[in-house]
Structure formats: structure tokens, C-alpha cells
């Protein structure tokens, strides 16, 4: 004990951790709630570390369809037509207040930065397509992934796809740089004109059982804010 020190006099407070440095016993006081004990290697003292992540808060925007049978975006009023189809959004779940507003299918964000965006879309016989966020305020594609784009890098590259068969459910994930004060819409292309008939599907919407109502989700946009970007 003369060489290493007295344990009782070294650790004095609830939550203290005893460790040895190059000269003897030492005290590591309690860290803050949620921290972890971090080793710094054989020649260094332990310390408290903080768990970090590059993904933080999440919000969902979606179009819920409450008609008697399943309906895709072809039969939804206000959907638009042609090369840039505005996908309707009529509700959102935003526990972390990422969404500033949602009005007329346009949404704004409360914080500028990088977002990972996961987009789901159901359409009938869509053929060739691409899915993306559009910056309605500046009349251009939402840029990605940061604000540090040079003139030569000022482009957007939406993920494209090709669908065959009766219908298609598409899920596309991409990274965007979204800014406060700008209106954004969820868009897709469509080069087929097929309309969706309620008689072609047995998927029911707005169905209630045991007090729980199930509605068809035609489109969903999941926004996840990336920290430190």
C-alpha cells in the first residue's frame, strides 16, 4: 500500500472507479449519464467516452388513402402528370420537430443540413421512373449531399429504375442537403398512362378490427437528419 496508495482515500465518492497510472492508484470520477468507460491503450489511462452517431432524429411524411379498396397514386386527385409528378402527402409523424410545415404537398424543414431520405411509392404500371426530392423554391432538384458543391459538381443524380408487370412498389434511399426557408416536394417520373381500377385489387383500406383502423399507405418519405454534416 505504501507503493500504490490507499484505496479508501483514493476513491471517495459513489461511482468512482479505481485504476493505476504510471505512479500508482488513481481515481476516475463518475462520468455523465449514458457515457461509457473508454480504454486509450496500454500506455494511457482510461477515460469516459460519449456515444455518438451520424444519424440523429427522424420524421415520416406520407399519403394515407382511406378509400374502400387499395388505390395507388394514379387515382389520387392533385397528383399532377407528365415528367414531374408531385406525389401527394397528407400526414406526418414528427416526434423531433424536423418538419417546419406541410402544406399543399410541399414541406419545409426546421434545420439546414444533410438528410438521409428513404422514399416509398406505389404506382400502377409505372414503366420507367426516377424518384427524388424537388426544391420548389429554387425550381431545381434538391442538391446532395452538402452545401460545398463547386460549379462543376452542381448536379443531382436521382436513382432511376424500370418496372414491369401489373404494378410496382418502389423504395429509394438517397442523401440530400435541405435548407430552411425552401419548399420541397416528393416527385417521380411516369411514362405510362395506365389508370388503376379498384376492381383489379383485393387490398382493402380503412378497415377496422378490434378498435384499430388500417389505412393504405401509397407514399412515404422518411427523413433522417445526419449530425455534424
Amino acid at each position: 500500500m505504501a507503493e500504490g496508495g490507499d484505496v479508501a482515500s483514493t476513491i471517495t465518492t459513489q461511482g468512482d472507479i479505481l485504476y493505476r497510472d504510471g505512479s500508482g492508484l488513481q481515481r476516475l470520477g463518475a462520468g455523465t449519464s449514458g457515457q461509457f468507460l473508454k480504454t486509450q491503450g496500454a500506455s494511457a489511462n482510461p477515460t469516459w467516452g460519449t456515444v455518438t452517431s451520424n444519424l440523429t432524429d427522424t420524421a415520416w411524411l406520407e399519403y394515407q388513402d382511406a378509400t374502400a379498396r387499395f388505390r395507388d397514386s394514379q387515382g389520387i386527385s392533385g397528383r399532377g402528370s407528365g415528367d414531374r409528378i408531385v406525389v401527394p402527402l397528407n400526414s406526418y409523424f414528427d416526434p423531433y420537430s424536423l418538419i417546419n410545415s406541410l402544406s399543399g404537398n410541399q414541406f419545409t424543414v426546421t434545420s439546414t443540413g444533410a438528410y438521409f431520405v428513404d422514399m416509398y411509392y406505389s404506382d400502377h404500371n409505372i414503366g420507367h421512373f426516377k424518384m427524388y426530392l424537388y426544391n420548389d423554391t429554387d425550381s431545381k432538384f434538391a442538391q446532395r449531399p452538402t452545401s460545398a458543391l463547386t460549379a462543376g459538381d452542381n448536379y443531382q443524380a436521382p436513382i432511376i429504375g424500370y418496372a414491369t408487370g401489373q404494378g410496382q412498389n418502389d423504395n429509394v434511399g438517397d442523401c440530400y442537403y435541405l435548407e430552411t426557408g425552401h419548399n420541397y416536394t416528393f416527385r417521380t417520373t411516369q411514362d405510362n398512362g395506365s389508370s388503376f381500377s379498384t376492381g383489379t385489387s383485393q387490398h382493402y383500406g380503412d378497415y377496422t378490427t378490434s378498435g384499430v383502423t388500417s389505412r393504405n399507405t401509397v407514399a412515404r418519405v422518411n427523413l433522417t437528419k445526419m449530425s455534424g454534416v
Side-chain angles (χ1 to χ4, degrees), residues 20 71 76 225:
R20 180 186 177 90
R71 181 172 61 177
I76 299 172
K225 183 72 171 61

Side-chain angles (χ1 to χ4, degrees), residues 61-64 87-89 120-122 186 217-221:
L61 302 97
E62 59 188 18
Y63 183 88
Q64 295 180 355
V87 180
L89 299 169
Y120 165 82
Y121 179 60
S122 176
F186 171 32
T217 299
V218 176
R220 176 175 290 156
V221 181

Side-chain angles (χ1 to χ4, degrees), residues 108-193:
T108 61
V109 295
T110 56
S111 176
T112 295
Y115 291 77
F116 180 78
V117 183
D118 188 57
M119 297 174 283
Y120 165 82
Y121 179 60
S122 176
D123 203 355
H124 178 64
N125 224 10
I126 66 175
H128 309 86
F129 71 93
K130 61 184 176 184
M131 298 164 60
Y132 54 91
L133 291 185
Y134 190 72
N135 182 340
D136 290 89
T137 301
D138 297 332
S139 298
K140 64 180 182 181
F141 291 111
Q143 65 189 62
R144 70 180 179 96
T146 71
S147 60
L149 295 175
T150 66
D153 294 329
N154 190 18
Y155 68 91
Q156 174 58 291
I159 297 176
I160 64 170
Y162 178 72
T164 60
Q166 179 71 18
Q168 187 77 7
N169 295 322
D170 299 292
N171 207 87
V172 172
D174 211 341
C175 185
Y176 293 87
Y177 186 81
L178 305 181
E179 301 175 88
T180 58
H182 290 69
N183 294 317
Y184 296 96
T185 49
F186 171 32
R187 300 195 177 198
T188 184
T189 60
Q190 169 69 20
D191 64 0
N192 282 355

Side-chain angles (χ1 to χ4, degrees), residues 14-32:
Q14 181 179 0
D16 285 353
I17 289 180
L18 183 69
Y19 72 94
R20 180 186 177 90
D21 66 5
S23 60
L25 299 180
Q26 301 296 337
R27 168 185 177 268
L28 178 62
T32 59

Side-chain angles (χ1 to χ4, degrees), residues 54 66 77 148:
N54 66 337
S77 61

